[in-house]
Structure formats: C-alpha cells, structure tokens
Amino acid sequence: MLKGIPSFLKRPGDSIRQLLKSERPQQSEKHELRIVSRDEHPISRSGISESALKVLYRLKKANYDAFLVGGCVRDALLDLHPKDFDVATNATPEQVNSLFHNARIIGRRFRIVHVRYGREIIEVTTFRAPHDTSNAKSHASQTDQGLLVRDNVFGSIEEDAMRRDFTINALYYNIRDFSIHDYAGGIRDIEQRLIRMIGDPETRYREDPVRMLRAIRFAAKLDFNIEAATEAPIRASANLLRQIPAARLFEEVLKLFLSGQGVETFKLLREYQLFGQLFPYTEDALQESPEREAFIIRALENTDKRIRQNKPVTPAFLFAALLWPVVQRAFGELVRSGIPPVPAMQQAGQQATAAQVDFTSIPKRFSQPMREIWEFQLRLERRQGKRAFQTAEHPRFRAAYDFLVLRGETGEDVQDLADWWTDFQESDTHSRRNLVQHNEQNEKPAPRKRRRRRRSNSKNSHHKDGPRKSQD
Ligand code: ATP
Ligand code: MG
C-alpha cells in the first residue's frame, strides 16, 4: 500500500490502519492549514524551471504573495517531472501584467496572465474565491444546471485552495520561505495515493463536468485510486459532459490520450462510462463488436511507447484509431449496399468525422490527415507497376503503414499485406522491383516467405508456397 510514498511524507506513528481510518470522512470538513517547512519536503529550487523562479521572485520583490501551485507541486512531491509550472498570487491580472514586459492577459471565462520565456509559458493566476460566497454577480455566473461559466472573483489563498478540483492539486509552494501550504489535505492524499475532490463531488462535477475526466486522467497518470465519495457520482453525472463545448473536449481528449498512459486512461474511461460521452459512436461499435477494442488498445500501447521514447505523436493518428471501429462499420454497410470500396471508404470517413465533431471538435489540420490514413488503407492494397513506389513516397505513407500493421496485429485480414510493405521498405530498389513483379504475377502468396526461402534454402526453392509457419 505504502509503496512509492516519499519517505519525507511518512510521519512517525503512521500505520496503514490509521491512514485508512482517515480515508472516508471529510467531504465538507474544513482542513487546518498544514505548513510543511523547507527541511521537511524534497522540493528544491533546482527542480523548478528558471522561468517560473523569475516570475515568483519578481512578484515577491513587488511585495505580492507568490506560490507555485497545482500539478507542478504535486508532481515534484511524487518525484515526477512537472510538465509546466503554474503560479498563484494575490496580485490582480493587471498588476501582474504591468510587472512583466513579456506578459499578456488571456481568457474571459477565467482571466489569467501568460508570461512567456521563449517557448515556455508560465501561467499566473490570481487567487479566486469560490463563486457561491461572492456577491459580485457580474464576475461569476452559473447556469441553471450549476455549470460555472465565468469565474473571476478574486479572493484569499484559502478560498483559492477550496475552489481547486482535487486535494492533491491544492498544494502551494511559497517562494518566501520555500514551505508548502496544504489547505485541503493534499499531502495526506498523496501519501494514500488518492484522488479526492475538494467539497461535495456531485456539486463540483455539476459546476464543471470536465473534472470527471480530470479525475480519470490523474488516476491513470499517477497510478492513484479515486476516493469512494469522489468516484460515486461519476457514472450518473457522465452525461453532463454534453454541456461542454466540443473544442474544450478536444483539448481534454489530447491530454487524456497523449500523456503516456493512454491504455490505462481508455480502460478507466470505459469503466466509468465516460468514454461513451466523448466517442459515442465508437462506444456503440465496441458494444456491438467487443473484439474491435483490441485495435484501439494496440494503437494506444503504441502511442504510449512512442511517448516514452520521446518520439512525436499526432492527434490525427490518435483520432484515426479511436474512430476506426466507426469507419469500419460504416464502410461495411456501404460496401454491402453496392458502393465500390474506394468511394465507400471516403464516405465512411466523412460520416464518422461529421458525427464525431458534435462531441469533440477535430481541427481540420488533424481531420484531413486522419481521413487520409483511412483512405490510404485501400491504396496500400494496390501495388502494381510504379504504384508501390509512388505510395511509399507519399507523406501520409508512414502513418498509414503503421496503422495497417496495427490492424494486422489485431486480427484484421491484412497481415500479409503489412508484411509485404515491411519487406518493401527494408529492400533496395532492385529487390523492390522483384517484390512488385512477384505481386503482379500472383495476388495471394506472401512475398516475405518466398524471398527468404530463395536466399537461405535455394535447393528447396521449388517448394515456393509452403506453409508460412516454417519461417517464424
Ligand atoms: P497537469 O498540468 O500535469 O496536467 P495540473 O494539475 O497542473 O496537471 P492544469 O490543467 O495545468 O492541471 O491546472 C492547474 C491547476 O488548476 C490544477 O492543479 C488545479 O488546481 C486547477 N484546476 C485546473 N482545472 C480545474 C478545474 N476544472 N476545476 C478546478 N480546478 C482546476
Ligand atoms: Mg499544469
């Protein structure tokens, strides 16, 4: 249970039983502020981005309060590399803006300041008060369903902590004395590896349904459990995600699936019935043919691996994979209705895309290559004459080939075709011509088998179409 807990967090006398005893209660219980001093925690300035430190020091020099907050403090405590650094302060956005020549105020729903250093942006947020304690109606507003649409009421740091989502995201690192301020029990929950909502979870999901996706994202990313009361309302509240603009959900989908834990995230989203809110047509297709899930999982495994290897990943490939079961189903229906494969694939791709963008937008720069990946699947079957050479030069070839390999690996009848393209890419020009010629002579046989046999065992070369397993 306690595996992975940084030793500094283990207080004398803590036992698993004590930890578990403290697990249930305090939904509305108020937490005492706990201050962890510099010598009691492992966060050092050397682990903090230089730009973030510049921002913190500048604010401090101007006599404002300045803290690192959110994911960077959480991740640093867990010995992970924070991906960005967020700053919270009592200075208003205008005051922050006037301190930095490289700053700019952004957002309407939530006004913050971006301070830019080259490619790095430090987000500076003014302490917010919870909307319901405010009498400044023009600064905060909520729809009848409880959805928070504006949130610009400034407040104290305690109030700011209470309106953050999870306890582990409400830890503040103070630049004045390098201590950590814990207003919501976040340190305890890091110890217990728990995602716990601050306040009443159902209300907080109603205020912002994206918090359900965030709970899943952090559970997968950190390998934490979602605390019982925090998870309880999720399934019943999942449909609230329909209120969220498709553009925001697109961004959330990228964070969910392109952060290195895509497989785990996908499984959790399905378990909590959230996946169907994001990709309802894929969910339908998976309900109808559960075996299609293998392809998505394989694609996400591949993506997770690329991220671990620092290789680029593209939303086009991700969406192509997540929507493939929908495209396959539509393609099958169109072909059965008598439409030839090429236009059927085009139409299937169009239909799947048009249906999806009501839920998550897909910017054109991604939807275009995504559809090309699908359409290319048929093009990869045509290898006569110069075609194969031209296909291999096409900018979309590599992604389409990777896609084909995943299809072959997960039971679609394209394994031989994928092998053929693997051979083609590994061959020199002369061997490539042989491969193409061979393919023209005979549509069916597996080229890899014949080529190898000719090389390694020429005496038996008359036995050209022998069983494949002898090669593997
Ligand atoms: P990461 O950046 O690693 O994905 P993060 O926790 O930093 O995780 P951000 O989206 O960068 O997530 O948000 C920064 C902080 O802002 C969070 O830690 C949390 O305190 C607060 N926050 C973000 N989104 C919400 C939300 N929807 N509701 C309440 N608080 C939020
Ligand atoms: Mg962050």
Side-chain angles (χ1 to χ4, degrees):
M1 259 308 267
L2 293 177
K3 200 171 89 243
I5 294 175
S7 57
F8 82 95
L9 288 169
K10 292 182 194 152
R11 281 161 301 182
D14 274 354
S15 71
I16 291 179
R17 184 168 312 164
Q18 275 174 316
L19 289 173
L20 291 179
K21 251 199 280 174
S22 65
E23 187 179 315
R24 284 308 326 261
Q26 65 289 98
Q27 281 323 310
S28 49
E29 179 188 307
K30 218 170 151 41
H31 265 270
E32 292 288 300
L33 165 64
R34 176 173 169 195
I35 297 182
V36 184
S37 64
R38 170 63 194 98
D39 51 359
E40 293 174 304
H41 70 73
I43 301 181
S44 76
R45 270 156 291 162
S46 61
I48 300 171
S49 103
E50 300 246 329
S51 319
L53 286 172
K54 274 188 212 157
V55 173
L56 291 165
Y57 282 127
R58 177 85 55 91
L59 286 164
K60 180 183 139 193
K61 210 170 145 208
N63 274 326
Y64 296 112
D65 295 336
F67 294 82
L68 282 181
V69 66
C72 59
V73 181
R74 175 197 71 215
D75 289 352
L77 282 175
L78 286 162
D79 208 17
L80 302 168
H81 286 292
K83 73 173 166 46
D84 46 39
F85 291 84
D86 297 324
V87 170
T89 178
N90 60 350
T92 64
E94 288 72 19
Q95 288 168 331
V96 177
N97 198 38
S98 68
L99 284 180
F100 299 91
H101 64 90
N102 47 341
R104 154 172 113 86
I105 299 177
I106 60 150
R108 246 176 70 83
R109 195 179 75 87
F110 198 93
R111 295 176 76 226
I112 57 178
V113 181
H114 275 179
V115 189
R116 179 184 281 278
Y117 295 91
R119 297 187 60 181
E120 190 178 12
I121 290 175
I122 305 299
E123 241 175 57
V124 185
T125 311
T126 306
F127 298 143
R128 296 304 202 268
H131 58 99
D132 57 359
T133 63
S134 123
N135 48 16
K137 281 234 163 59
S138 62
H139 296 295
S141 67
Q142 227 171 349
T143 65
D144 292 345
Q145 292 84 37
L147 184 75
L148 204 52
V149 288
R150 286 185 76 189
D151 190 6
N152 283 316
V153 184
F154 303 131
S156 67
I157 182 168
E158 291 88 344
E159 290 172 315
D160 187 78
M162 291 307 122
R163 52 151 294 286
R164 290 182 180 270
D165 47 6
F166 305 109
T167 58
I168 57 168
N169 287 345
L171 295 166
Y172 296 74
Y173 172 88
N174 190 354
I175 197 63
R176 243 174 247 289
D177 60 3
F178 316 119
S179 63
I180 294 174
H181 291 206
D182 175 6
Y183 292 91
I187 290 204
R188 173 206 58 204
D189 288 336
I190 284 186
E191 286 169 347
Q192 297 180 35
R193 304 186 80 81
L194 281 178
I195 310 291
R196 184 198 308 270
M197 184 67 86
I198 297 172
D200 173 53
E202 203 192 326
T203 311
R204 308 270 351 253
Y205 292 138
R206 236 181 295 123
E207 280 173 12
D208 183 2
V210 167
R211 289 172 184 152
M212 292 183 277
L213 301 177
R214 290 173 59 85
I216 303 300
R217 178 153 72 85
F218 297 127
K221 166 176 160 161
L222 306 172
D223 192 19
F224 276 29
N225 290 317
I226 305 175
E227 178 269 337
T230 304
E231 81 167 348
I234 294 184
R235 289 180 184 82
S237 312
N239 64 354
L240 296 175
L241 283 168
R242 285 307 317 266
Q243 302 169 9
I244 303 299
R248 184 165 175 218
L249 289 184
F250 170 75
E251 295 299 327
E252 290 301 322
V253 164
L254 298 191
K255 289 188 206 164
L256 284 162
F257 291 110
L258 298 181
S259 304
Q261 302 295 336
V263 175
E264 184 58 21
T265 302
F266 174 68
K267 289 180 178 166
L268 286 173
L269 286 174
R270 288 206 78 204
E271 185 186 328
Y272 285 96
Q273 294 165 20
L274 291 165
F275 185 76
Q277 299 297 328
L278 298 171
F279 292 92
Y281 297 97
T282 309
E283 180 61 37
D284 269 3
L286 295 178
Q287 297 279 348
E288 192 184 277
S289 327
E291 75 283 356
R292 287 186 175 150
E293 194 191 37
F295 172 80
I296 293 184
I297 291 190
R298 193 70 197 85
L300 293 171
E301 272 169 10
N302 206 39
T303 306
D304 289 348
K305 189 166 151 211
R306 289 181 69 90
I307 291 167
R308 278 198 300 280
Q309 297 170 336
N310 279 324
K311 290 187 181 164
V313 287
T314 149
F317 195 89
L318 172 73
F319 275 79
L322 290 170
L323 295 178
W324 182 236
V326 186
V327 176
Q328 271 182 306
R329 188 161 74 164
F331 176 72
E333 280 166 14
L334 290 163
V335 169
R336 278 193 295 282
S337 76
I339 299 178
V342 171
M345 186 61 91
Q346 273 168 1
Q347 278 183 41
Q350 263 160 22
Q351 284 175 10
T353 313
Q356 179 60 29
V357 294
D358 280 345
F359 297 87
T360 67
S361 61
I362 313 176
K364 205 159 199 144
R365 65 185 185 282
F366 303 126
S367 65
Q368 185 65 30
M370 171 186 80
R371 283 169 46 186
E372 284 171 15
I373 290 172
W374 296 329
E375 288 166 19
F376 229 91
Q377 298 306 301
L378 296 179
R379 183 164 163 180
L380 289 170
E381 288 175 14
R382 301 197 304 271
R383 292 160 285 165
Q384 296 87 351
K386 290 198 181 121
R387 268 228 169 100
F389 290 87
Q390 287 163 349
T391 297
E393 294 303 314
H394 194 280
R396 207 62 64 212
F397 169 74
R398 188 66 213 188
Y401 161 77
D402 287 346
F403 200 85
L404 181 76
V405 169
L406 296 177
R407 290 174 58 209
E409 284 171 356
T410 49
E412 283 192 61
D413 188 17
V414 292
Q415 184 72 60
D416 286 348
L417 184 62
D419 285 348
W420 189 94
W421 279 108
T422 305
D423 280 355
F424 186 83
Q425 290 174 86
E426 287 169 359
S427 305
D428 57 24
T429 313
H430 177 70
S431 317
R432 283 182 170 195
R433 283 207 194 98
N434 286 345
L435 275 170
V436 170
Q437 266 171 17
H438 174 125
N439 186 57
E440 282 167 356
Q441 282 158 15
N442 189 344
E443 283 295 315
K444 273 280 155 205
R448 168 190 291 241
K449 184 173 28 186
R450 298 178 69 180
R451 191 163 58 92
R452 286 209 187 138
R453 197 159 277 179
R454 231 178 278 143
R455 258 192 219 150
S456 60
N457 198 357
S458 56
K459 278 188 200 148
N460 290 337
S461 60
H462 60 278
H463 218 87
K464 277 179 190 164
D465 291 320
R468 204 203 143 125
K469 53 176 177 314
S470 61
Q471 298 299 310
D472 298 331

